[in-house]
Amino acid sequence: MRNSLFDRFRGAGGTSGSSGAKTFRADFTASLVVFLVAVPLCVGVAVASGVPAELGLITGIVGGLVTGFLPGSSLQVSGPAAGLTVLVYEAVEQYGVAALGVLVLISGLLQLAMGAFGLGRWFRAISVAVVQGMLAGIGLVLIAGQLYALADAKAPSSGLDKIFGIPELIGDVAGSGDALKALAVGVATIAVLVLWPRFRQGAKVLPAPLAAVALATGATAIFDLPIARVEVKGLLDAIQPPGGSEFQALAEVGVIGTVLAFTLIASAESLFSAAAVDRLHDGARTDYDKELMAQGAGNAVCGVLGALPMTAVIVRSAANVQAGAKTKASRVLHGVWLLIFAVLFPSALGIIPVAALAGVLVYSGWKLIPTKDLVPLWRSHRGEAIILVVTAGAIVVTNMFEGVIIGLLMAVAKTAWETSHVHVEVSGRENDDAGAGAGDKPLRVRVRGNATFLRLPKLLDELEGLPREREVELDLTGLRHVDHACEMALATWTERHNAVVKRDAAIEERVPA
């Protein structure tokens, strides 16, 4: 029985000579590391999303016990992600916490359907610049919002208001002793997150997020600082399954847009995370369709429980691989540890300062911004860099869904422009100097490539530059593609040009020499 349990989890990165006991010990150790990384992130994402802290733990538990069991990517770990924090906060502000379950449930069902129809692999076709821009925009809005939480202040609702309100925030913090104490705790948390990995021995024993939150919590308790702590309701009290009235909200256009945003962003983030995790180990590669269905099943369960949406999280997944995980047992066990913690030690959450969690999320938001990649991208692929920046800016100015749509439209337009190359070849010009009557023969114009409306101005400019006294024979057989607008415009130009040439020739014949 014991060996059969090991065998169920075998096959993701372990060597053929590894015994079941060694594999399980590696997974057991890795699960503890992932659990320690997951606790502060689950709680922090929930608090930043404007929901009870326990809902973040519930999503982490489902990510381990439900998604963790399912096939797809064996080593990546799922749970609440900073990438969806901004969108969840906006949804909760607009529709209420009770409606969150419906949004997440429908998103999960859509993911299940997309995976079943084999659409998971198509997410690999999404422009990397759009995804990086999406994450950068999320990071900017997340940082702007958590700057207020660092000082125990309430953040404005929109991204622009958060940014423009920072000068006023600075003035308020400077005049408040309690706000300065909260800010000190938050800034110290960020400092620990940056410096902790340099202490390799300590980093091996305790992950940076847990160390930072533990030190901030200890300092807050020792000095009895008058700053905000996490509010605790209890695991069962936090669960809010959606009712019939919440499902009626699906008739609203705004709700549908939010569901689509949840689905698109959660799916893209999970599958891009899977691709990144695949590069970290030598085990089995991700089946994108199965992974999308696994994420959908997890989100459907989270929706029924009224919890936060989940994605695969690269921070936890990388910690899982680096800790030596061999199979999916590690991520399942991490869900078990989260469940035990949430049931037996819920009061432990109540001593954590909100400013410390805000510091964790400010650091996480900064990691979402591709600061190291932007300059090289600008040098090698300037158009991609522009798409990245515009997508991020659009998310800050508008909202998540509209910003991503703007980025996708820009990527499609850029691709269409770059692929619609056309070349015009003109033959017969040599007849102009071949003697009397030779210049009366038509010019042969051959168009090659892809003729779309995007290249129509260039095409017409080249045609307009042809001699006005010569007829034109237009050859479109060299085109791999021609859209309707271009075909009609070329035919109309040729007909009009030849008619004008014939008319001028007829007038010239009637005029006596």
Side-chain angles (χ1 to χ4, degrees):
M1 177 68 180
R2 185 181 178 186
N3 289 336
S4 65
L5 179 62
F6 292 143
D7 292 339
R8 286 184 64 186
F9 294 117
R10 190 178 299 164
T15 61
S16 58
S18 297
S19 67
K22 287 183 178 179
T23 299
F24 188 77
R25 279 197 296 271
D27 289 331
F28 184 88
T29 303
S31 71
L32 291 174
V33 173
V34 178
F35 161 70
L36 295 176
V37 172
V39 169
L41 292 177
C42 287
V43 176
V45 169
V47 172
S49 300
V51 302
E54 292 85 352
L55 291 184
L57 291 174
I58 292 171
T59 298
I61 292 167
V62 174
L65 300 184
V66 177
T67 305
F69 262 114
L70 298 175
S73 176
S74 296
L75 296 185
Q76 77 170 354
V77 184
S78 300
L84 285 173
T85 300
V86 176
L87 189 59
V88 173
Y89 181 84
E90 293 174 354
V92 170
E93 284 284 303
Q94 190 167 359
Y95 307 113
V97 178
L100 183 61
V102 173
L103 302 177
V104 178
L105 172 60
I106 302 302
S107 295
L109 295 177
L110 287 175
Q111 287 180 307
L112 280 168
M114 289 191 299
F117 284 106
L119 299 181
R121 70 196 70 165
W122 287 98
F123 276 87
R124 289 180 290 179
I126 296 178
S127 168
V128 176
V130 174
V131 176
Q132 288 183 314
M134 175 189 75
L135 295 177
I138 292 168
L140 290 172
V141 178
L142 184 61
I143 291 171
Q146 293 307 302
L147 288 177
Y148 293 83
L150 283 175
D152 285 347
K154 182 174 176 55
S157 56
S158 72
L160 278 179
D161 289 341
K162 290 172 183 174
I163 294 174
F164 290 144
I166 290 176
E168 183 180 353
L169 173 67
I170 294 174
D172 293 340
V173 171
S176 171
D178 291 347
L180 286 172
K181 293 174 184 176
L183 180 62
V185 170
V187 171
T189 301
I190 297 173
V192 173
L193 287 169
V194 174
L195 298 175
W196 189 260
R198 299 184 182 182
F199 300 98
R200 296 183 178 179
Q201 296 300 321
K204 289 180 180 179
V205 177
L206 206 60
L210 188 66
V213 173
L215 289 172
T217 302
T220 302
I222 291 172
F223 295 104
D224 193 24
L225 299 178
I227 60 178
R229 268 80 159 180
V230 175
E231 295 183 7
V232 180
K233 292 185 177 181
L235 197 64
L236 294 179
D237 294 335
I239 295 176
Q240 298 185 36
S245 59
E246 282 77 33
F247 281 96
Q248 293 177 0
L250 291 174
E252 299 181 25
V253 176
V255 172
I256 296 174
T258 302
V259 169
L260 293 176
F262 273 179
T263 306
L264 174 65
I265 295 169
S267 301
E269 189 169 343
S270 294
L271 297 182
F272 273 90
S273 172
V277 173
D278 281 348
R279 291 194 290 268
L280 299 177
H281 66 89
D282 298 324
R285 305 293 92 178
T286 297
D287 184 315
Y288 285 86
D289 293 326
K290 289 182 179 179
E291 179 61 22
L292 187 57
M293 294 183 70
Q295 296 295 325
N299 274 317
V301 174
C302 287
V304 171
L305 298 175
L308 291 171
M310 75 165 58
T311 71
V313 185
I314 189 63
V315 174
R316 272 164 264 185
S317 302
N320 189 39
V321 176
Q322 292 164 3
K326 303 298 181 183
T327 72
K328 64 176 68 175
S330 61
R331 62 186 191 179
V332 175
L333 286 173
H334 119 275
V336 174
W337 310 143
L338 283 174
L339 178 60
I340 293 173
F341 175 81
V343 172
L344 299 183
F345 308 105
S347 58
L349 301 177
I351 64 174
I352 299 176
V354 173
L357 297 178
V360 172
L361 290 173
V362 167
Y363 181 76
S364 299
W366 177 255
K367 300 290 282 185
L368 290 174
I369 303 173
T371 51
K372 295 181 180 180
D373 299 333
L374 191 55
V375 173
L377 187 64
W378 176 260
R379 291 173 179 169
S380 57
H381 300 283
R382 189 159 297 182
E384 295 292 304
I386 293 173
I387 291 174
L388 190 158
V389 172
V390 170
T391 302
I395 289 173
V396 173
V397 173
T398 58
N399 55 53
M400 183 73 60
F401 183 67
E402 293 178 7
V404 171
I405 293 299
I406 290 172
L408 288 173
L409 291 176
M410 283 192 64
V412 170
K414 172 182 172 291
T415 302
W417 176 262
E418 291 180 345
T419 56
S420 60
H421 292 295
V422 289
H423 303 280
V424 178
E425 298 174 350
V426 182
S427 58
R429 287 181 184 269
E430 65 278 3
N431 293 331
D432 291 341
D433 301 323
D440 295 335
K441 293 182 180 180
L443 291 172
R444 294 182 298 277
V445 179
R446 189 168 187 261
V447 184
R448 297 187 301 107
N450 298 289
T452 69
F453 69 94
L454 295 172
R455 295 292 182 174
L456 189 54
K458 175 188 175 183
L459 270 175
L460 293 178
D461 285 344
E462 292 196 39
L463 293 176
E464 292 289 350
L466 296 175
R468 296 182 179 275
E469 67 279 2
R470 300 281 297 277
E471 291 189 42
V472 168
E473 289 182 356
L474 194 62
D475 180 9
L476 302 181
T477 58
L479 287 175
R480 292 186 296 270
H481 169 76
V482 56
D483 63 19
H484 180 68
C486 211
E487 184 178 23
M488 291 297 296
L490 292 175
T492 302
W493 182 90
T494 305
E495 182 180 351
R496 187 178 67 249
H497 174 85
N498 289 339
V500 171
V501 171
K502 291 177 180 178
R503 183 196 65 192
D504 292 345
I507 293 174
E508 188 175 346
E509 288 178 359
R510 292 197 297 267
V511 175

